[in-house]
Amino acid sequence: MKKFRTYFSSFLMSFIEWFDFLIFIYIFIAFFKSQNDSSILNAFQQLGIIISFIARPIGAYVLGLVSLKIGRITSLLYTVKLMMVASFLLIVAAYMTDHLILCATIAFIARFIQGFSIGSETSSNYMYIYEISKKKATGVAIAGVGVACGQVLASFAPNLLNGIGSFQDKILWAYGSSILLSFVVLYLRKSMPETKDPRYQNIKQKVSVFKITHEILKAVFPFGFLIYYVLIIFPKHAEQHYGISKEFSYYYLTYACLIIAFLPLLFASIADKIGTSKVLTLAIYMTVLFIPLFLLIKDPFFQITYIAALNSIHFSVALVRVFNDVGTEQLYLHFPLIYNVIMAALSSFIVAFFNSGLEHDHVFLMFLFGIIALHYKHLFFFLFNPKKAQSKIYGS
């Protein structure tokens, strides 16, 4: 029963955090687009996104320290409470639209708190689930289901809330619902086991910060690029290059998010049975294979399916490999911070490259080659010494 509560609260909080995080973009920025003040709109669009990425590594580091010094559960409870505060402030901001500057200021503060909270929640949640799970990869994959479901519902929220007349009522329904669900998470998390118990420790020889950063980059870059590509780039690309409607492109987005939500569970269960190294080997060779397939098969359904599957297989085992190789005590301090810095930088690079005027296919292939380059040692040893590739490069 305790294990079910832990998994369910992990799923629910991941869902709430990403739903809240993306609703800001889909509803708040849409509202400011309807206003005639272009200066406020430009500031709101730019700062509303940037400020959250500044806050994420700060929150990751601060609450990472809380995890180490006070306890994992205390840190996880703080993330819930902070998201509730942010949701309440956004509801307040929605009722300040007669004073756009004040409305935007309150929304910026709420956005910073959202970023601060989600910066710790996403990474610390994965590590906590890893610590308490016997089937490590499956546990981490379950936490990821909530993230994808939150992304799906947030993308559909504008359509779901169309029947609600005013902007204020839409915000009240969206963020009011998340506050109510957060109370459920608080109740569940208070009864979760604290893992600062010797039985749960993963004490290993200390690893240098440079080595930790390199390992996290290898794990995060593939699924980080693919998920940002799906959420930010693919819908617009599908509209422009395949002549499909905006509404239909979002059906593709929803379809991809659903695959990313549930397919990692399959790959994770396989990894728990046969080892993470073998599943990661499959992920790398699927990435290599996608290069000729992407060039030959110009079909949006095929491409988004393959990308979603590729994301699923990388995500389901990549983080587990990092957690296996580095002691969790080190990770609670370093992983949230490094993870969020990499994800923030990666999202910025993706937007910059795809908006640089370069051909879309060239940019996409460049990122695929980047994924392959990070794993060059594995590819080299697999060709010339397969046993070493399995045992030395990725562990068991």
Side-chain angles (χ1 to χ4, degrees):
M1 187 64 182
K2 283 187 177 181
K3 188 65 68 70
F4 171 78
R5 284 186 176 188
T6 300
Y7 285 142
F8 182 67
S9 69
S10 172
F11 161 81
L12 194 58
M13 195 59 211
S14 296
F15 168 82
I16 292 169
E17 295 240 349
W18 281 96
F19 175 77
D20 287 5
F21 195 70
L22 293 174
I23 279 291
F24 182 90
I25 297 172
Y26 291 124
I27 297 182
F28 249 97
I29 288 183
F31 165 76
F32 272 86
K33 282 182 178 180
S34 68
Q35 307 304 303
N36 295 322
D37 194 327
S38 60
S39 62
I40 291 181
L41 170 61
N42 291 334
F44 196 87
Q45 283 182 302
Q46 294 173 14
L47 291 177
I49 294 173
I50 292 171
I51 200 168
S52 65
F53 281 115
I54 293 173
R56 283 173 68 174
I58 297 173
Y61 182 77
V62 171
L63 293 178
L65 284 175
V66 172
S67 295
L68 281 176
K69 304 295 183 182
I70 303 176
R72 322 301 199 217
I73 303 304
T74 301
S75 177
L76 291 172
L77 288 173
Y78 276 141
T79 64
V80 183
K81 294 172 183 177
L82 286 169
M83 285 301 285
M84 294 171 73
V85 170
S87 296
F88 176 75
L89 287 175
L90 287 170
I91 292 172
V92 172
Y95 286 90
M96 297 286 181
T97 52
D98 290 338
H99 308 280
L100 284 180
I101 294 178
L102 179 60
C103 173
T105 301
I106 296 173
F108 287 148
I109 294 170
R111 188 63 169 170
F112 182 88
I113 296 171
Q114 277 187 337
F116 189 95
S117 174
I118 205 170
S120 174
E121 171 67 29
T122 302
S123 48
S124 295
N125 193 13
Y126 291 144
M127 286 188 290
Y128 177 80
I129 290 295
Y130 170 86
E131 281 190 290
I132 68 164
S133 299
K134 290 183 179 178
K135 296 181 178 180
K136 304 296 188 184
T138 302
V140 172
I142 289 172
V145 173
V147 174
C149 289
Q151 292 166 349
V152 171
L153 188 60
S155 68
F156 266 95
N159 293 328
L160 292 172
L161 298 172
N162 268 342
I164 300 173
S166 68
F167 161 72
Q168 288 83 0
D169 288 344
K170 289 179 181 179
I171 292 297
L172 182 60
W173 272 94
Y175 284 110
S177 299
S178 74
I179 290 173
L180 291 176
L181 288 174
S182 295
F183 278 111
V184 176
V185 178
L186 281 175
Y187 170 75
L188 293 172
R189 284 197 167 171
K190 285 180 180 179
S191 62
M192 283 162 45
E194 177 56 68
T195 60
K196 287 198 74 175
D197 183 302
R199 294 173 298 169
Y200 296 104
Q201 296 297 329
N202 185 17
I203 303 299
K204 294 189 177 181
Q205 185 177 2
K206 286 198 172 184
V207 181
S208 70
V209 175
F210 176 81
K211 175 68 172 175
I212 293 174
T213 303
H214 181 246
E215 292 302 311
I216 294 173
L217 178 63
K218 285 169 64 178
V220 169
F221 185 87
F223 73 80
F225 160 66
L226 293 167
I227 192 64
Y228 280 130
Y229 177 83
V230 168
L231 292 174
I232 300 173
I233 306 299
F234 183 83
K236 187 176 180 181
H237 171 69
E239 292 171 42
Q240 293 177 345
H241 293 270
Y242 296 108
I244 62 178
S245 68
K246 183 174 183 179
E247 182 181 12
F248 206 72
S249 72
Y250 276 95
Y251 285 127
Y252 278 116
L253 171 61
T254 303
Y255 164 71
C257 287
L258 288 173
I259 293 177
I260 292 167
F262 296 103
L263 197 58
L265 293 171
L266 171 63
F267 290 121
S269 63
I270 294 171
D272 284 327
K273 290 180 179 178
I274 68 173
T276 57
S277 64
K278 292 179 181 178
V279 178
L280 278 167
T281 299
L282 175 62
I284 297 164
Y285 290 111
M286 282 183 66
T287 306
V288 174
L289 180 63
F290 191 35
I291 292 173
L293 293 177
F294 177 79
L295 293 172
L296 293 172
I297 305 176
K298 295 299 183 180
D299 178 78
F301 181 77
F302 166 78
Q303 290 183 2
I304 198 63
T305 301
Y306 201 110
I307 290 168
L310 203 58
N311 180 286
S312 299
I313 193 170
H314 274 289
F315 171 79
S316 59
V317 292
L319 293 180
V320 175
R321 180 180 61 80
V322 176
F323 300 158
N324 284 342
D325 291 346
V326 184
T328 52
E329 289 299 296
Q330 273 192 284
L331 282 175
Y332 268 102
L333 186 59
H334 298 301
F335 177 73
L337 175 62
I338 297 169
Y339 174 90
N340 281 282
V341 168
I342 291 173
M343 291 294 273
L346 188 55
S347 66
S348 301
F349 286 142
I350 288 169
V351 172
F353 275 108
F354 279 100
N355 291 333
S356 64
L358 297 173
E359 179 67 29
H360 168 276
D361 289 3
H362 295 162
V363 176
F364 184 81
L365 290 172
M366 178 188 71
F367 275 99
L368 287 182
F369 279 114
I371 294 172
I372 295 167
L374 284 171
H375 300 280
Y376 75 94
K377 285 185 179 180
H378 183 76
L379 290 169
F380 177 83
F381 283 116
F382 186 87
L383 291 173
F384 298 102
N385 193 341
K387 288 185 178 180
K388 188 170 184 178
Q390 292 293 328
S391 62
K392 298 296 184 184
I393 305 301
Y394 286 135
S396 59

